[in-house]
Amino acid sequence: HVPVPSGGKNYNVVVIMVDDQRWDALSLAGHPFLKTPHIDAIGKGGVWCKKAFVTTSLCCPSRATMLCGQYAHSHGVLDNQTPLPKHLPTWPALLRASGYRTSYVGKWHMGGADASPRPHWDHWVSFPGQGRYNHPGEPGKEEEWSFNRNGERLSLTGYVTDLVTDQAVAYIDQQSPGERFAMVVGHKACHAPFIPAKRHQERFGEVDIPKPLPNTDEAYKGLPAWLRRVRRSVFGVEVLYNGRWKSFDEWYLDYHRTLLAVDEGVGRILEALEEKGLTEETLVVYTSDNGFMVGERGVLDKRCAYEPSMRVPALF
């Protein structure tokens, strides 16, 4: 695959990829209480694609599709453990062949516990699998929670969204004028178990929370029978991820609280680009690997073909 010049101006590329954020979890989209001014700024200053959706609403299959542009049945990443096949062409690989420096910072996820550098990335900072919200983790299990920076273990202390942002900002600060780079910033948030940063744990006191579909025959009239079974499963409103939360309301609030640190991080990345004089030379993309169900039809999580599960934020 040999890149073909378009004749247009070359831009730096920064893709900010969050996990499990539904399309309307933005104040730009009219959310009743969540405020995301820095994410909003990307759409207000550029393009907000209001009807973006993914074809496979599960983390790794969707991430693989976004990198290589193929459907899941073609690229072969059909679950959350399969590595991205090394032979597949990806847009970062094509940019690298064109002279760009490439960087991946944050959650990669494809390939489970292996956090080692992947092909076609000049700079790599990631952690195993799903990662954890707070660092460090349990002593003696550093392989399970420490970062991998360019093949070496990196132990960091703090909240994962802030740590990922720190590494992204540091990379921007290292850039030289006139040289092009492409960076993907992968956040753990807002993936379960939804542990907000300490500074955000009490946010959203008295707010209106949407009520899940009631468990009545009338409410489920005309709906597929499997929905009622899901309601009583780990991804249903009656079980709440095996009882991690005492109430649906707290589950719902914690989901949105984790996005507050993401928005702050986006602000820091935009500020870093501005300070380096790169704002007008950089394409910034903000999106999520899939949408999310927050009680619609009694369902939580993603992995179904209803609109909230498949529809994602997409701002350029």
Side-chain angles (χ1 to χ4, degrees):
H1 295 268
V2 180
V4 179
S6 66
K9 181 179 178 180
N10 290 336
Y11 290 85
N12 301 313
V13 181
V14 175
V15 177
I16 303 170
M17 170 80 72
V18 290
D19 197 307
D20 288 1
Q21 183 178 3
R22 50 187 285 143
W23 75 276
D24 57 357
L26 296 169
S27 46
L28 182 65
H31 195 278
F33 61 81
L34 177 64
K35 303 303 179 186
T36 54
H38 302 297
I39 301 171
D40 295 351
I42 300 173
K44 290 179 179 179
V47 175
W48 173 28
C49 296
K50 300 180 181 180
K51 296 182 179 180
F53 70 97
V54 299
T55 58
T56 311
S57 188
L58 187 64
C59 300
C60 291
S62 187
R63 289 165 183 262
T65 291
M66 291 184 185
L67 283 170
C68 69
Q70 298 182 22
Y71 289 109
H73 63 261
S74 295
H75 60 58
V77 180
L78 304 178
D79 54 32
N80 280 343
Q81 289 78 42
T82 302
L84 181 70
K86 295 180 179 180
H87 70 276
L88 289 179
T90 63
W91 64 263
L94 294 177
L95 286 183
R96 191 168 185 251
S98 299
Y100 278 67
R101 292 190 305 278
T102 56
S103 170
Y104 195 94
V105 176
K107 181 177 181 178
W108 175 262
H109 196 8
M110 290 173 285
D114 182 12
S116 60
R118 301 310 202 263
H120 310 304
W121 301 100
D122 298 303
H123 177 70
W124 175 271
V125 186
S126 189
F127 45 76
Q130 290 283 1
R132 55 182 298 117
Y133 274 102
N134 291 299
H135 289 251
E138 183 180 348
K141 295 186 176 181
E142 286 79 6
E143 288 288 350
E144 297 180 9
W145 55 261
S146 59
F147 285 68
N148 183 312
R149 182 167 65 187
N150 298 323
E152 297 183 358
R153 182 183 297 167
L154 178 65
S155 296
L156 299 172
T157 299
Y159 186 65
V160 68
T161 305
D162 301 335
L163 298 177
V164 169
T165 300
D166 291 344
Q167 295 297 314
V169 168
Y171 185 77
I172 293 172
D173 289 343
Q174 296 167 8
Q175 302 312 303
S176 302
E179 295 185 359
R180 290 295 175 233
F181 71 93
M183 177 171 62
V184 176
V185 182
H187 281 298
K188 175 174 174 58
C190 45
H191 196 284
F194 315 145
I195 301 175
K198 288 184 177 180
R199 62 187 182 274
H200 299 141
Q201 288 177 352
E202 303 300 323
R203 292 288 295 273
F204 314 137
E206 298 295 328
V207 297
D208 291 330
I209 297 173
K211 301 304 179 185
L213 186 72
N215 190 13
T216 64
D217 291 342
E218 182 62 28
Y220 279 89
K221 185 177 180 180
L223 293 177
W226 66 268
L227 281 173
R228 212 160 189 177
R229 294 196 296 271
V230 171
R231 182 187 188 96
R232 298 186 293 270
S233 76
V234 64
F235 298 126
V237 295
E238 294 183 9
V239 179
L240 296 171
Y241 290 25
N242 285 332
R244 285 179 178 267
W245 287 266
K246 294 180 179 179
S247 70
F248 171 81
D249 288 5
E250 279 303 307
W251 178 94
Y252 183 85
L253 291 176
D254 279 348
Y255 170 80
H256 290 88
R257 286 166 177 153
T258 61
L259 284 166
L260 296 174
V262 173
D263 185 70
E264 293 170 353
V266 169
R268 289 179 56 201
I269 289 173
L270 296 177
E271 183 179 15
L273 292 171
E274 183 69 31
E275 290 178 352
K276 292 289 287 188
L278 298 174
T279 300
E280 299 303 319
E281 300 178 13
T282 305
L283 167 65
V284 178
V285 182
Y286 182 92
T287 191
S288 176
D289 55 4
N290 45 250
F292 210 68
M293 304 282 281
V294 292
E296 295 96 341
R297 298 173 177 83
V299 176
L300 311 177
D301 205 71
K302 57 269 186 181
R303 61 190 95 217
C304 64
Y306 285 111
E307 183 175 354
S309 177
M310 300 176 68
R311 193 171 172 187
V312 296
L315 301 90
F316 299 80

